[in-house]
Every structure is written in structure tokens, then in C-alpha cells.
Amino acid sequence: MFDFMGCVGSAAQYGSALFVYLLKNKSGRQKLIKKLQSLESNMSTGRKLFRLGNTVSSIDAAKRTMHLEDPVLRLCLTVANLNRSLYFLCDNILWARSIGLVTDMDKEKWSVRASRCYFVSLLMNLTRDLYGIYRAMEREAQDKQYRQKVSQHCSDSRDVACMAVLDLQAFLLLLYHSLRHNPSILLDTAKNVCDLFIPMDRLSIYKTNPGVVGLCGLMSSILGILALVKPSFKLKP
């Protein structure tokens, strides 16, 4: 329930940021812009409140992933969860400062720390996604129907240049079928890619603008809601 509310709040926050960016040069929209900015600020504060217990949850998740048999999954998910817990810890401290519980702290420094931890967590999750795609392609390559399609394509031409094109086509066909049969990997990859633009912009690794950040955040939130509504779209472990 809290995860769903968090995704809805995130969608409202980033959707507001996107519309503020789109309307900022429109005359006569100042009142609407102020309302959207207020909604964005309130949603941001509300989401921080919902995430107060996420530090402990992420540590528990790291403890579980440490026992995974697959060494790649064990490394990627454990490091991702540990950095995610640090991100939530920094986020909680920033929330405490915003309501006046903590005053003697550098907001900018803690905000950068939070973004760094979030960035590392997303990189590890994306590495896990790429590994999942690789494993899915391995399984798909063993499928008889796929191998028959590839053999049929390759038998149509013996030209070297054509064979190179066919190799690329075979790879793309394998990738397509792998993602088609594993929608949870596709959804998780798309979500993590969208999320990645947020800390990259904050850390000046790849500067965009508030509109791109708002759009990416909104798309990520929608994908997160979809994964919660349809559990088969949620990547495990």
C-alpha cells in the first residue's frame, strides 16, 4: 500500500514539475504555475515521510540478497540495496531539516550525498538488468522455434555482407524474443534508465533541464505503478 502511494505521489510530483516547465513561458499561467509548484513541493515532502522506514527495509533486502546463489545477482543486488539504504538515510536527514528537527547541517552537501548513493544503486540495478537480459537471451537461443527461424534466414544467402547483416538481424531477433518473453526485465530496465537521468542531472554528470527530469520521473512512476498493479511485471529477485 505504501509503495503504491509512493508511486502515485512520485507521479504527481514529477508530473507537476513537467507541467511547470511546459507552462513557464506561457502568459497568464502564473497562478496555475504557483499551484503546481506548491503541489510539487507538498508531494516531495509527503514522499519523504512515506520513505522514513525504507532505510531498514533496504538493509533487510541486502541481507536477503547476500544469500543468493548466483554471484552476479548477489553482488549487484546487495550493493544496490546498501546504497539505496544510504540514500534513504540521507533523504530522512534532509526531511528532518525541512521540518526543523535538524538545523546545523549543510543541505546541499547532504543532497549531493543522497544523489551519489542513488546513482550507484541505479547503476548496479541496471547491471543486474543487463545480466538478466543476457541470461534470457541464452535461454531463448536454446529454443527450437527460434533456432529454426535463424537457420531459415541464414540459408537464404551465402554472401559475406549479407551474412553480416543476418547476424545483426539474428541478434536483434533474439533480443526481441527474449524481452517479449520476459516483460519484467524490460519494464525494470526502462524504469531504471528513466530514474538514472535524475541523479545524473543533480550531479552534473549529464545536465538536462527540469522538463526532462520531470518527464523521466513521471515515466518511471507510471512503470512503478504498473509493476505494482500487475505483479508478473515485477522483476524477481
Side-chain angles (χ1 to χ4, degrees), residues 7 9 18 28 31 34-35 57 62 92 99 103 157 166-167 178 182 189 196 209 212 215-216 219 230-233 235:
C7 287
L18 175 60
K31 288 185 177 180
K34 287 182 179 179
K35 289 181 179 179
S57 299
N92 293 340
I99 63 172
T103 55
S157 176
L166 288 173
D167 284 342
S178 300
N182 297 273
T189 303
L196 197 62
N209 58 60
V212 173
L215 177 61
C216 290
M219 291 174 61
K230 193 165 184 180
S232 62
F233 283 173
L235 186 61

Side-chain angles (χ1 to χ4, degrees), residues 18 20 31 36 76 82 88 109 153 172 176 189 192 237:
L18 175 60
V20 167
K31 288 185 177 180
L36 288 172
C76 291
L82 288 175
F88 285 129
K109 184 180 292 185
H153 280 295
L172 294 176
Y176 167 75
T189 303
N192 285 325

Side-chain angles (χ1 to χ4, degrees), residues 22-237:
L22 294 174
L23 296 172
K24 68 177 183 179
N25 293 324
K26 303 288 185 179
S27 59
R29 299 286 185 175
Q30 296 306 314
K31 288 185 177 180
L32 177 58
I33 289 175
K34 287 182 179 179
K35 289 181 179 179
L36 288 172
Q37 287 175 332
S38 177
L39 176 61
E40 179 187 357
S41 177
N42 291 335
M43 287 297 102
S44 177
T45 303
R47 288 179 62 215
K48 291 181 188 298
L49 181 61
F50 277 117
R51 294 199 294 248
L52 285 177
N54 284 6
T55 301
V56 177
S57 299
S58 296
I59 293 175
D60 288 339
K63 290 178 180 179
R64 291 193 298 271
T65 55
M66 285 177 65
H67 300 290
L68 292 173
E69 293 184 4
D70 191 304
V72 177
L73 291 180
R74 184 167 63 244
L75 174 64
C76 291
L77 293 178
T78 301
V79 174
N81 284 320
L82 288 175
N83 277 275
R84 190 172 175 81
S85 68
L86 292 173
Y87 161 69
F88 285 129
L89 177 61
C90 295
D91 193 62
N92 293 340
I93 294 173
L94 288 169
W95 173 80
R97 183 191 183 280
S98 68
I99 63 172
L101 291 178
V102 179
T103 55
D104 187 19
M105 63 164 285
D106 189 335
K107 180 181 177 180
E108 180 67 18
K109 184 180 292 185
W110 280 94
S111 179
V112 170
R113 286 172 179 170
S115 296
R116 284 174 180 167
C117 293
Y118 187 36
F119 180 66
V120 173
S121 176
L122 288 173
L123 283 182
M124 298 310 297
N125 279 325
L126 272 173
T127 303
R128 182 260 181 273
D129 290 332
L130 293 175
Y131 177 69
I133 292 172
Y134 169 74
R135 293 294 301 273
M137 291 176 70
E138 272 191 330
R139 293 192 297 269
E140 191 68 30
Q142 303 302 318
D143 183 75
K144 290 183 178 180
Q145 292 183 352
Y146 168 78
R147 296 174 73 174
Q148 288 175 354
K149 289 180 181 179
V150 173
S151 298
Q152 183 178 358
H153 280 295
C154 292
S155 62
D156 293 337
S157 176
R158 298 298 179 185
D159 184 75
V160 175
C162 289
M163 288 298 293
V165 174
L166 288 173
D167 284 342
L168 177 59
Q169 289 179 338
F171 173 80
L172 294 176
L173 182 66
L174 177 59
L175 179 62
Y176 167 75
H177 282 286
S178 300
L179 294 177
R180 181 187 176 190
H181 295 152
N182 297 273
S184 60
I185 299 179
L186 175 60
L187 188 145
D188 196 69
T189 303
K191 184 180 184 305
N192 285 325
V193 169
C194 289
D195 281 333
L196 197 62
F197 282 92
I198 300 172
M200 285 176 67
D201 181 80
R202 181 68 183 82
L203 298 171
S204 299
I205 296 173
Y206 182 77
K207 293 293 291 184
T208 53
N209 58 60
V212 173
V213 172
L215 177 61
C216 290
L218 178 60
M219 291 174 61
S220 173
S221 301
I222 293 173
L223 293 173
I225 292 172
L226 182 61
L228 291 173
V229 171
K230 193 165 184 180
S232 62
F233 283 173
K234 188 173 179 62
L235 186 61
K236 299 175 182 179

